[in-house]
């Protein structure tokens, strides 16, 4: 089973990433669920914990994605505690956990959190969230930490290749569109603007 955590400040692209991945998995014949914002902006912690427990115990889908800020170790620890409780009852179940960290600046988040479609956090709230942010770490139990760089979106082909290599999976790798963008730093891949310097931390590397 594959669990993907989207992490980062508000307005960093987490929901876009979650929707992109769900579309990819479902189009390729895999079942996928997104747990997170229940009414457009509210992150319901208790709801997510119940859903993750159900997902592990009942194996309701191949892939689950948590669409939420998950800013620090304590937020993420709650998820792992639920997984531990479920796998203790079903020790044959293995859950691979991947984090996609969205790295936009605090200034960007303050300036764009009032864009259409986003819940408007005030500047003080964004600053407060930034102050308690902790980057995800392997020692939390995360196998892959994939960093989406500033002013960019997920490099889907690159991400899928890393999943396949790390977990010996066989997800189809999307083709990279041959599109001239006029900007060598942010090429267009499958219609998604991505950074050429996305970085990844796997079990083999720091």
């Amino acid at each position: 089973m594959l669990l993907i955590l989207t992490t980062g400040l508000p307005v960093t692209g987490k929901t876009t990433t979650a929707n992109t991945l769900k579309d990819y998995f479902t189009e390729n014949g895999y079942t996928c669920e997104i747990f997170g914002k229940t009414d457009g902006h509210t992150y319901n912690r208790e709801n997510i914990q119940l859903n993750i427990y159900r997902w592990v115990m009942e194996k309701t889908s191949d892939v689950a994605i948590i669409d939420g800020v998950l800013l620090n170790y304590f937020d993420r620890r709650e998820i792992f505690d639920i997984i531990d409780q479920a796998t203790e009852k079903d020790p044959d179940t293995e859950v691979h956990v991947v984090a996609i960290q969205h790295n936009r600046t605090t200034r960007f988040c303050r300036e764009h959190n009032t864009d259409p479609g986003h819940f408007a956090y005030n500047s003080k709230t964004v600053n407060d969230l930034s102050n308690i942010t902790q980057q995800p770490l392997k020692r939390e139990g995360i196998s892959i930490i994939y960093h989406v760089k500033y002013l960019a979106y997920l490099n889907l082909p690159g991400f899928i290749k890393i999943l396949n290599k790390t977990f010996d999976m066989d997800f189809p790798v999307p083709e990279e569109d041959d599109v001239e963008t006029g900007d060598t730093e942010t090429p267009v891949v499958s219609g998604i603007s991505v950074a050429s310097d996305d970085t990844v931390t796997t079990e083999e590397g720091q």
Side-chain angles (χ1 to χ4, degrees):
M1 304 179 75
L2 177 64
L3 176 63
I4 300 174
L5 314 177
T6 65
T7 59
L9 288 171
V11 206
T12 51
K14 298 181 300 299
T15 298
T16 298
T17 290
N19 290 333
T20 296
L21 288 170
K22 184 175 182 181
D23 289 345
Y24 161 80
F25 286 118
T26 55
E27 287 170 5
N28 285 282
Y30 300 93
T31 52
C32 181
E33 299 174 82
I34 297 178
F35 305 132
K37 301 168 184 175
T38 56
D39 61 3
H41 65 265
T42 301
Y43 179 85
N44 189 312
R45 181 176 277 111
E46 182 177 351
N47 237 13
I48 288 179
Q49 291 175 7
L50 291 172
N51 282 329
I52 289 296
Y53 187 83
R54 174 185 59 84
W55 173 70
V56 176
M57 294 299 296
E58 300 178 11
K59 300 174 177 57
T60 54
S61 62
D62 302 312
V63 181
I65 302 169
I66 298 182
D67 177 19
V69 288
L70 296 173
L71 287 176
N72 54 45
Y73 167 81
F74 299 102
D75 289 341
R76 296 185 290 268
R77 186 65 253 169
E78 291 179 346
I79 302 299
F80 282 100
D81 287 344
I82 294 297
I83 293 173
D84 289 345
Q85 291 175 29
T87 53
E88 281 179 9
K89 295 184 178 181
D90 186 2
D92 293 331
T93 297
E94 185 176 13
V95 179
H96 299 299
V97 182
V98 174
I100 302 178
Q101 171 66 25
H102 297 72
N103 297 309
R104 292 188 188 269
T105 64
T106 305
R107 178 179 177 180
F108 176 94
C109 298
R110 286 198 306 265
E111 292 176 349
H112 290 272
N113 76 78
T114 55
D115 288 353
H118 292 290
F119 176 71
Y121 292 88
N122 60 48
S123 294
K124 182 181 184 304
T125 299
V126 173
N127 287 338
D128 290 344
L129 291 174
S130 178
N131 289 335
I132 64 170
T133 295
Q134 296 172 325
Q135 293 271 331
L137 299 171
K138 280 175 49 190
R139 63 172 175 259
E140 297 176 29
I142 302 170
S143 298
I144 300 173
I145 303 168
Y146 191 91
H147 293 267
V148 179
K149 289 297 188 180
Y150 302 102
L151 305 177
Y153 293 102
L154 176 69
N155 178 345
L156 184 58
F159 178 70
I160 297 301
K161 288 178 184 177
I162 290 166
L163 285 183
N164 287 341
K165 179 179 178 181
T166 304
F167 301 126
D168 195 25
M169 293 177 171
D170 194 26
F171 293 123
V173 178
E175 292 185 5
E176 298 187 4
D177 293 338
D178 185 14
V179 178
E180 292 186 11
T181 65
D183 185 345
T184 57
E185 295 303 315
T186 54
V188 172
V189 179
S190 299
I192 302 169
S193 176
V194 303
S196 55
D197 60 347
D198 282 0
T199 58
V200 59
T201 303
T202 68
E203 291 177 323
E204 291 77 28
Q206 296 294 333

